[in-house]
Short mmCIF file of all heavy atoms in Angstrom, two decimals:
data_model
loop_
_atom_site.label_atom_id
_atom_site.label_comp_id
_atom_site.label_asym_id
_atom_site.label_seq_id
_atom_site.Cartn_x
_atom_site.Cartn_y
_atom_site.Cartn_z
N ASP A 43 83.65 157.92 123.16
CA ASP A 43 82.67 156.86 123.36
C ASP A 43 82.42 156.07 122.08
O ASP A 43 82.28 154.84 122.11
CB ASP A 43 81.35 157.44 123.89
CG ASP A 43 81.48 157.91 125.33
OD1 ASP A 43 82.41 157.45 126.02
OD2 ASP A 43 80.66 158.75 125.76
N LEU A 44 82.35 156.76 120.95
CA LEU A 44 82.15 156.06 119.68
C LEU A 44 83.38 155.22 119.34
O LEU A 44 83.26 154.07 118.90
CB LEU A 44 81.86 157.04 118.55
CG LEU A 44 81.64 156.42 117.16
CD1 LEU A 44 80.59 155.33 117.19
CD2 LEU A 44 81.27 157.52 116.15
N MET A 45 84.56 155.75 119.59
CA MET A 45 85.78 154.98 119.35
C MET A 45 85.82 153.74 120.24
O MET A 45 86.20 152.64 119.79
CB MET A 45 87.02 155.84 119.59
CG MET A 45 88.33 155.07 119.46
SD MET A 45 88.62 154.33 117.83
CE MET A 45 89.31 155.76 116.97
N LEU A 46 85.40 153.87 121.48
CA LEU A 46 85.37 152.72 122.38
C LEU A 46 84.44 151.64 121.83
O LEU A 46 84.78 150.45 121.83
CB LEU A 46 84.90 153.16 123.77
CG LEU A 46 84.77 152.05 124.82
CD1 LEU A 46 86.14 151.44 125.13
CD2 LEU A 46 84.12 152.60 126.09
N ALA A 47 83.28 152.05 121.35
CA ALA A 47 82.33 151.08 120.79
C ALA A 47 82.90 150.41 119.55
O ALA A 47 82.74 149.19 119.36
CB ALA A 47 81.02 151.79 120.44
N GLN A 48 83.60 151.17 118.73
CA GLN A 48 84.21 150.58 117.53
C GLN A 48 85.32 149.60 117.91
O GLN A 48 85.46 148.53 117.29
CB GLN A 48 84.75 151.69 116.63
CG GLN A 48 83.66 152.52 115.98
CD GLN A 48 84.20 153.65 115.12
OE1 GLN A 48 85.40 154.01 115.20
NE2 GLN A 48 83.35 154.25 114.30
N CYS A 49 86.08 149.94 118.92
CA CYS A 49 87.15 149.03 119.38
C CYS A 49 86.56 147.74 119.94
O CYS A 49 87.10 146.65 119.72
CB CYS A 49 88.01 149.72 120.44
SG CYS A 49 89.08 151.04 119.80
N ALA A 50 85.46 147.86 120.66
CA ALA A 50 84.82 146.67 121.23
C ALA A 50 84.31 145.75 120.13
O ALA A 50 84.39 144.52 120.25
CB ALA A 50 83.68 147.09 122.15
N GLN A 51 83.80 146.33 119.04
CA GLN A 51 83.25 145.50 117.97
C GLN A 51 84.32 144.94 117.04
O GLN A 51 84.28 143.75 116.68
CB GLN A 51 82.24 146.31 117.14
CG GLN A 51 81.61 145.49 116.01
CD GLN A 51 80.56 146.26 115.24
OE1 GLN A 51 80.23 147.40 115.56
NE2 GLN A 51 80.01 145.64 114.21
N PHE A 52 85.31 145.78 116.65
CA PHE A 52 86.24 145.38 115.60
C PHE A 52 87.61 144.96 116.12
O PHE A 52 88.42 144.43 115.38
CB PHE A 52 86.39 146.50 114.57
CG PHE A 52 85.12 146.74 113.79
CD1 PHE A 52 84.20 147.71 114.19
CD2 PHE A 52 84.82 145.97 112.68
CE1 PHE A 52 83.02 147.92 113.49
CE2 PHE A 52 83.65 146.16 111.97
CZ PHE A 52 82.74 147.14 112.37
N LYS A 53 87.87 145.24 117.40
CA LYS A 53 89.09 144.80 118.07
C LYS A 53 90.37 145.11 117.29
O LYS A 53 91.17 144.23 116.98
CB LYS A 53 89.00 143.29 118.37
CG LYS A 53 87.85 142.96 119.32
CD LYS A 53 87.72 141.49 119.58
CE LYS A 53 86.68 141.21 120.67
NZ LYS A 53 85.37 141.83 120.40
N PRO A 54 90.60 146.38 116.98
CA PRO A 54 91.84 146.75 116.30
C PRO A 54 93.04 146.60 117.22
O PRO A 54 92.89 146.63 118.46
CB PRO A 54 91.61 148.23 115.95
CG PRO A 54 90.70 148.72 117.03
CD PRO A 54 89.77 147.56 117.30
N GLU A 55 94.21 146.45 116.65
CA GLU A 55 95.42 146.41 117.48
C GLU A 55 95.73 147.79 118.07
O GLU A 55 96.24 147.89 119.19
CB GLU A 55 96.61 145.93 116.64
CG GLU A 55 96.55 144.46 116.29
CD GLU A 55 97.84 143.97 115.68
OE1 GLU A 55 98.90 144.59 115.92
OE2 GLU A 55 97.79 142.97 114.94
N VAL A 56 95.40 148.84 117.29
CA VAL A 56 95.77 150.19 117.71
C VAL A 56 94.57 151.13 117.50
O VAL A 56 93.85 151.02 116.51
CB VAL A 56 96.97 150.73 116.91
CG1 VAL A 56 97.39 152.11 117.43
CG2 VAL A 56 98.14 149.76 116.96
#
Side-chain angles (χ1 to χ4, degrees):
D43 290 339
L44 180 53
M45 176 61 84
L46 178 65
Q48 291 178 346
C49 289
Q51 181 177 357
F52 293 94
K53 297 178 173 53
E55 289 190 24
V56 184

